mmCIF file of all heavy atoms in Angstrom:
data_model
loop_
_atom_site.group_PDB
_atom_site.id
_atom_site.type_symbol
_atom_site.label_atom_id
_atom_site.label_comp_id
_atom_site.label_asym_id
_atom_site.label_seq_id
_atom_site.Cartn_x
_atom_site.Cartn_y
_atom_site.Cartn_z
ATOM 1 N N ASP A 219 -29.192 174.085 146.239
ATOM 2 C CA ASP A 219 -30.229 173.696 147.181
ATOM 3 C C ASP A 219 -30.173 174.647 148.432
ATOM 4 O O ASP A 219 -29.158 175.208 148.741
ATOM 5 C CB ASP A 219 -30.243 172.215 147.595
ATOM 6 C CG ASP A 219 -30.274 171.375 146.380
ATOM 7 O OD1 ASP A 219 -31.268 171.448 145.738
ATOM 8 O OD2 ASP A 219 -29.439 170.489 146.281
ATOM 9 N N TRP A 220 -31.283 174.633 149.114
ATOM 10 C CA TRP A 220 -31.339 175.428 150.358
ATOM 11 C C TRP A 220 -30.609 174.566 151.441
ATOM 12 O O TRP A 220 -31.169 173.526 151.846
ATOM 13 C CB TRP A 220 -32.780 175.658 150.889
ATOM 14 C CG TRP A 220 -33.367 176.750 150.033
ATOM 15 C CD1 TRP A 220 -34.414 176.541 148.995
ATOM 16 C CD2 TRP A 220 -33.137 178.188 149.936
ATOM 17 N NE1 TRP A 220 -34.754 177.698 148.415
ATOM 18 C CE2 TRP A 220 -33.974 178.730 148.917
ATOM 19 C CE3 TRP A 220 -32.303 178.950 150.710
ATOM 20 C CZ2 TRP A 220 -33.971 180.064 148.712
ATOM 21 C CZ3 TRP A 220 -32.223 180.287 150.324
ATOM 22 C CH2 TRP A 220 -33.129 180.841 149.411
ATOM 23 N N ARG A 221 -29.397 174.974 151.798
ATOM 24 C CA ARG A 221 -28.521 174.210 152.593
ATOM 25 C C ARG A 221 -27.825 175.180 153.577
ATOM 26 O O ARG A 221 -26.955 176.012 153.126
ATOM 27 C CB ARG A 221 -27.516 173.352 151.807
ATOM 28 C CG ARG A 221 -26.563 172.531 152.576
ATOM 29 C CD ARG A 221 -25.449 172.138 151.672
ATOM 30 N NE ARG A 221 -25.844 171.311 150.549
ATOM 31 C CZ ARG A 221 -25.943 169.967 150.479
ATOM 32 N NH1 ARG A 221 -25.709 169.326 151.512
ATOM 33 N NH2 ARG A 221 -26.408 169.445 149.356
ATOM 34 N N GLY A 222 -28.088 175.054 154.893
ATOM 35 C CA GLY A 222 -27.338 176.010 155.862
ATOM 36 C C GLY A 222 -28.258 177.080 156.266
ATOM 37 O O GLY A 222 -28.966 177.674 155.445
ATOM 38 N N TYR A 223 -28.199 177.412 157.501
ATOM 39 C CA TYR A 223 -29.207 178.331 158.133
ATOM 40 C C TYR A 223 -29.321 179.650 157.385
ATOM 41 O O TYR A 223 -28.277 180.300 156.989
ATOM 42 C CB TYR A 223 -28.669 178.651 159.582
ATOM 43 C CG TYR A 223 -29.474 179.676 160.281
ATOM 44 C CD1 TYR A 223 -30.747 179.526 160.688
ATOM 45 C CD2 TYR A 223 -28.885 180.985 160.537
ATOM 46 C CE1 TYR A 223 -31.537 180.420 161.340
ATOM 47 C CE2 TYR A 223 -29.666 182.006 161.132
ATOM 48 C CZ TYR A 223 -30.956 181.732 161.510
ATOM 49 O OH TYR A 223 -31.680 182.724 162.152
ATOM 50 N N ASP A 224 -30.516 180.040 157.107
ATOM 51 C CA ASP A 224 -30.784 181.313 156.386
ATOM 52 C C ASP A 224 -32.358 181.578 156.546
ATOM 53 O O ASP A 224 -32.958 180.922 157.335
ATOM 54 C CB ASP A 224 -30.307 181.376 154.934
ATOM 55 C CG ASP A 224 -30.892 180.136 154.114
ATOM 56 O OD1 ASP A 224 -31.891 179.504 154.526
ATOM 57 O OD2 ASP A 224 -30.183 179.938 153.083
ATOM 58 N N GLU A 225 -32.843 182.350 155.593
ATOM 59 C CA GLU A 225 -34.230 182.717 155.657
ATOM 60 C C GLU A 225 -35.216 181.489 155.227
ATOM 61 O O GLU A 225 -36.407 181.696 155.440
ATOM 62 C CB GLU A 225 -34.579 183.851 154.763
ATOM 63 C CG GLU A 225 -34.532 183.629 153.245
ATOM 64 C CD GLU A 225 -33.176 183.708 152.620
ATOM 65 O OE1 GLU A 225 -32.161 183.627 153.283
ATOM 66 O OE2 GLU A 225 -33.068 183.876 151.420
ATOM 67 N N SER A 226 -34.626 180.482 154.881
ATOM 68 C CA SER A 226 -35.479 179.335 154.314
ATOM 69 C C SER A 226 -35.968 178.346 155.445
ATOM 70 O O SER A 226 -36.521 177.355 155.093
ATOM 71 C CB SER A 226 -34.800 178.568 153.255
ATOM 72 O OG SER A 226 -33.613 177.910 153.783
ATOM 73 N N MET A 227 -35.788 178.722 156.660
ATOM 74 C CA MET A 227 -36.304 177.846 157.779
ATOM 75 C C MET A 227 -37.792 177.672 157.624
ATOM 76 O O MET A 227 -38.303 176.545 157.711
ATOM 77 C CB MET A 227 -35.971 178.450 159.161
ATOM 78 C CG MET A 227 -34.508 178.388 159.515
ATOM 79 S SD MET A 227 -34.121 177.539 160.987
ATOM 80 C CE MET A 227 -34.796 178.668 162.187
ATOM 81 N N ILE A 228 -38.550 178.714 157.269
ATOM 82 C CA ILE A 228 -39.974 178.582 157.086
ATOM 83 C C ILE A 228 -40.243 177.685 155.853
ATOM 84 O O ILE A 228 -41.280 176.930 155.852
ATOM 85 C CB ILE A 228 -40.581 179.969 156.934
ATOM 86 C CG1 ILE A 228 -42.143 179.792 156.967
ATOM 87 C CG2 ILE A 228 -40.078 180.757 155.581
ATOM 88 C CD1 ILE A 228 -42.855 181.177 157.023
ATOM 89 N N LEU A 229 -39.454 177.702 154.893
ATOM 90 C CA LEU A 229 -39.591 176.769 153.720
ATOM 91 C C LEU A 229 -39.639 175.369 154.210
ATOM 92 O O LEU A 229 -40.651 174.581 153.761
ATOM 93 C CB LEU A 229 -38.538 177.056 152.694
ATOM 94 C CG LEU A 229 -38.566 176.265 151.411
ATOM 95 C CD1 LEU A 229 -37.755 177.001 150.282
ATOM 96 C CD2 LEU A 229 -37.874 174.857 151.605
ATOM 97 N N TYR A 230 -38.662 175.011 154.934
ATOM 98 C CA TYR A 230 -38.575 173.563 155.381
ATOM 99 C C TYR A 230 -39.610 173.191 156.378
ATOM 100 O O TYR A 230 -40.230 172.091 156.318
ATOM 101 C CB TYR A 230 -37.260 173.304 155.977
ATOM 102 C CG TYR A 230 -36.173 173.040 154.935
ATOM 103 C CD1 TYR A 230 -35.349 173.986 154.502
ATOM 104 C CD2 TYR A 230 -36.048 171.796 154.369
ATOM 105 C CE1 TYR A 230 -34.368 173.753 153.438
ATOM 106 C CE2 TYR A 230 -35.120 171.458 153.336
ATOM 107 C CZ TYR A 230 -34.312 172.471 152.847
ATOM 108 O OH TYR A 230 -33.374 172.251 151.866
ATOM 109 N N VAL A 231 -40.100 174.162 157.141
ATOM 110 C CA VAL A 231 -41.248 173.864 158.136
ATOM 111 C C VAL A 231 -42.527 173.597 157.230
ATOM 112 O O VAL A 231 -43.293 172.619 157.495
ATOM 113 C CB VAL A 231 -41.422 175.025 159.137
ATOM 114 C CG1 VAL A 231 -42.734 174.771 159.877
ATOM 115 C CG2 VAL A 231 -40.328 175.090 160.105
ATOM 116 N N LEU A 232 -42.711 174.445 156.281
ATOM 117 C CA LEU A 232 -43.940 174.206 155.390
ATOM 118 C C LEU A 232 -43.792 172.960 154.648
ATOM 119 O O LEU A 232 -44.865 172.284 154.444
ATOM 120 C CB LEU A 232 -44.025 175.475 154.486
ATOM 121 C CG LEU A 232 -44.374 176.832 155.163
ATOM 122 C CD1 LEU A 232 -44.333 177.948 154.114
ATOM 123 C CD2 LEU A 232 -45.804 176.670 155.761
ATOM 124 N N ALA A 233 -42.734 172.681 154.002
ATOM 125 C CA ALA A 233 -42.470 171.451 153.267
ATOM 126 C C ALA A 233 -42.749 170.180 154.060
ATOM 127 O O ALA A 233 -43.258 169.234 153.559
ATOM 128 C CB ALA A 233 -41.246 171.499 152.518
ATOM 129 N N LEU A 234 -42.247 170.255 155.291
ATOM 130 C CA LEU A 234 -42.397 169.137 156.215
ATOM 131 C C LEU A 234 -43.841 168.896 156.674
ATOM 132 O O LEU A 234 -44.338 167.896 156.946
ATOM 133 C CB LEU A 234 -41.437 169.292 157.360
ATOM 134 C CG LEU A 234 -39.940 169.072 157.149
ATOM 135 C CD1 LEU A 234 -39.074 169.606 158.357
ATOM 136 C CD2 LEU A 234 -39.631 167.592 157.000
ATOM 137 N N GLY A 235 -44.573 170.082 156.873
ATOM 138 C CA GLY A 235 -45.915 169.973 157.295
ATOM 139 C C GLY A 235 -46.932 169.706 156.287
ATOM 140 O O GLY A 235 -48.124 169.560 156.607
ATOM 141 N N SER A 236 -46.533 169.693 155.009
ATOM 142 C CA SER A 236 -47.504 169.468 153.958
ATOM 143 C C SER A 236 -48.364 168.170 154.170
ATOM 144 O O SER A 236 -47.772 167.131 154.345
ATOM 145 C CB SER A 236 -46.863 169.427 152.617
ATOM 146 O OG SER A 236 -47.722 169.119 151.514
ATOM 147 N N PRO A 237 -49.707 168.189 154.088
ATOM 148 C CA PRO A 237 -50.479 167.020 154.092
ATOM 149 C C PRO A 237 -50.608 166.305 152.826
ATOM 150 O O PRO A 237 -51.072 165.170 152.803
ATOM 151 C CB PRO A 237 -51.842 167.508 154.727
ATOM 152 C CG PRO A 237 -51.941 168.913 154.066
ATOM 153 C CD PRO A 237 -50.459 169.464 154.113
ATOM 154 N N THR A 238 -50.138 166.959 151.690
ATOM 155 C CA THR A 238 -50.315 166.390 150.390
ATOM 156 C C THR A 238 -49.007 165.954 149.770
ATOM 157 O O THR A 238 -48.809 164.941 149.156
ATOM 158 C CB THR A 238 -51.057 167.397 149.454
ATOM 159 O OG1 THR A 238 -50.316 168.628 149.681
ATOM 160 C CG2 THR A 238 -52.531 167.444 149.818
ATOM 161 N N TYR A 239 -47.929 166.770 149.890
ATOM 162 C CA TYR A 239 -46.604 166.504 149.311
ATOM 163 C C TYR A 239 -45.504 166.730 150.219
ATOM 164 O O TYR A 239 -44.542 167.428 150.022
ATOM 165 C CB TYR A 239 -46.396 167.356 147.982
ATOM 166 C CG TYR A 239 -47.483 167.249 146.943
ATOM 167 C CD1 TYR A 239 -48.485 168.212 146.966
ATOM 168 C CD2 TYR A 239 -47.501 166.233 146.064
ATOM 169 C CE1 TYR A 239 -49.529 168.100 145.886
ATOM 170 C CE2 TYR A 239 -48.418 166.128 145.090
ATOM 171 C CZ TYR A 239 -49.417 167.082 145.023
ATOM 172 O OH TYR A 239 -50.443 166.999 143.989
ATOM 173 N N PRO A 240 -45.451 166.050 151.350
ATOM 174 C CA PRO A 240 -44.451 166.346 152.323
ATOM 175 C C PRO A 240 -43.093 165.850 151.897
ATOM 176 O O PRO A 240 -42.979 164.783 151.250
ATOM 177 C CB PRO A 240 -44.922 165.498 153.597
ATOM 178 C CG PRO A 240 -45.703 164.413 153.102
ATOM 179 C CD PRO A 240 -46.473 165.033 151.854
ATOM 180 N N ILE A 241 -42.013 166.575 152.334
ATOM 181 C CA ILE A 241 -40.704 166.108 152.166
ATOM 182 C C ILE A 241 -40.291 165.152 153.334
ATOM 183 O O ILE A 241 -41.004 165.138 154.423
ATOM 184 C CB ILE A 241 -39.673 167.173 151.967
ATOM 185 C CG1 ILE A 241 -39.584 168.052 153.238
ATOM 186 C CG2 ILE A 241 -40.134 168.046 150.770
ATOM 187 C CD1 ILE A 241 -38.500 169.127 153.167
ATOM 188 N N ASP A 242 -39.228 164.444 153.117
ATOM 189 C CA ASP A 242 -38.718 163.512 154.212
ATOM 190 C C ASP A 242 -38.304 164.211 155.426
ATOM 191 O O ASP A 242 -37.625 165.356 155.331
ATOM 192 C CB ASP A 242 -37.587 162.616 153.667
ATOM 193 C CG ASP A 242 -37.236 161.413 154.538
ATOM 194 O OD1 ASP A 242 -36.539 161.662 155.518
ATOM 195 O OD2 ASP A 242 -37.824 160.410 154.373
ATOM 196 N N ALA A 243 -38.536 163.734 156.639
ATOM 197 C CA ALA A 243 -38.096 164.391 157.860
ATOM 198 C C ALA A 243 -36.686 164.568 157.996
ATOM 199 O O ALA A 243 -36.257 165.396 158.646
ATOM 200 C CB ALA A 243 -38.626 163.616 159.075
ATOM 201 N N ALA A 244 -35.840 163.743 157.256
ATOM 202 C CA ALA A 244 -34.417 163.952 157.326
ATOM 203 C C ALA A 244 -34.004 165.231 156.619
ATOM 204 O O ALA A 244 -32.785 165.641 156.849
ATOM 205 C CB ALA A 244 -33.759 162.760 156.423
ATOM 206 N N ALA A 245 -34.827 165.914 155.932
ATOM 207 C CA ALA A 245 -34.505 167.160 155.318
ATOM 208 C C ALA A 245 -34.108 168.250 156.297
ATOM 209 O O ALA A 245 -33.123 169.162 155.997
ATOM 210 C CB ALA A 245 -35.652 167.670 154.428
ATOM 211 N N TRP A 246 -34.688 168.255 157.448
ATOM 212 C CA TRP A 246 -34.366 169.370 158.388
ATOM 213 C C TRP A 246 -32.948 169.279 158.839
ATOM 214 O O TRP A 246 -32.210 170.255 158.834
ATOM 215 C CB TRP A 246 -35.324 169.317 159.602
ATOM 216 C CG TRP A 246 -35.084 170.435 160.568
ATOM 217 C CD1 TRP A 246 -34.367 170.402 161.703
ATOM 218 C CD2 TRP A 246 -35.559 171.866 160.416
ATOM 219 N NE1 TRP A 246 -34.413 171.668 162.333
ATOM 220 C CE2 TRP A 246 -35.146 172.483 161.599
ATOM 221 C CE3 TRP A 246 -36.389 172.458 159.459
ATOM 222 C CZ2 TRP A 246 -35.355 173.899 161.679
ATOM 223 C CZ3 TRP A 246 -36.800 173.757 159.667
ATOM 224 C CH2 TRP A 246 -36.262 174.386 160.781
ATOM 225 N N ASN A 247 -32.496 168.099 159.261
ATOM 226 C CA ASN A 247 -31.019 168.022 159.799
ATOM 227 C C ASN A 247 -30.076 168.104 158.565
ATOM 228 O O ASN A 247 -29.011 168.580 158.810
ATOM 229 C CB ASN A 247 -30.877 166.587 160.533
ATOM 230 C CG ASN A 247 -31.561 166.740 161.803
ATOM 231 O OD1 ASN A 247 -31.696 167.847 162.481
ATOM 232 N ND2 ASN A 247 -31.846 165.638 162.387
ATOM 233 N N ALA A 248 -30.477 167.672 157.391
ATOM 234 C CA ALA A 248 -29.679 167.845 156.248
ATOM 235 C C ALA A 248 -29.528 169.289 155.918
ATOM 236 O O ALA A 248 -28.348 169.724 155.554
ATOM 237 C CB ALA A 248 -30.265 167.123 155.060
ATOM 238 N N PHE A 249 -30.540 170.110 156.060
ATOM 239 C CA PHE A 249 -30.486 171.566 155.792
ATOM 240 C C PHE A 249 -29.517 172.215 156.799
ATOM 241 O O PHE A 249 -28.720 173.066 156.451
ATOM 242 C CB PHE A 249 -31.935 172.119 156.006
ATOM 243 C CG PHE A 249 -31.974 173.608 156.210
ATOM 244 C CD1 PHE A 249 -31.469 174.474 155.239
ATOM 245 C CD2 PHE A 249 -32.599 174.164 157.222
ATOM 246 C CE1 PHE A 249 -31.546 175.895 155.330
ATOM 247 C CE2 PHE A 249 -32.667 175.527 157.511
ATOM 248 C CZ PHE A 249 -32.113 176.346 156.542
#
């Protein structure tokens, strides 16, 4: 999984911002 700082910061921002299929807000701190 995407875990630990790298190029996937934008991935989590987009997944958190989705109006249709958002992931849980806890994902950012878990990442």
Side-chain angles (χ1 to χ4, degrees):
D219 297 308
W220 291 106
R221 181 194 301 269
Y223 173 71
D224 55 21
E225 73 274 21
S226 66
M227 290 238 289
I228 189 172
L229 178 157
Y230 278 97
V231 171
L232 293 172
L234 287 164
S236 172
T238 47
Y239 302 101
I241 64 175
D242 192 275
W246 185 262
N247 287 339
F249 164 59

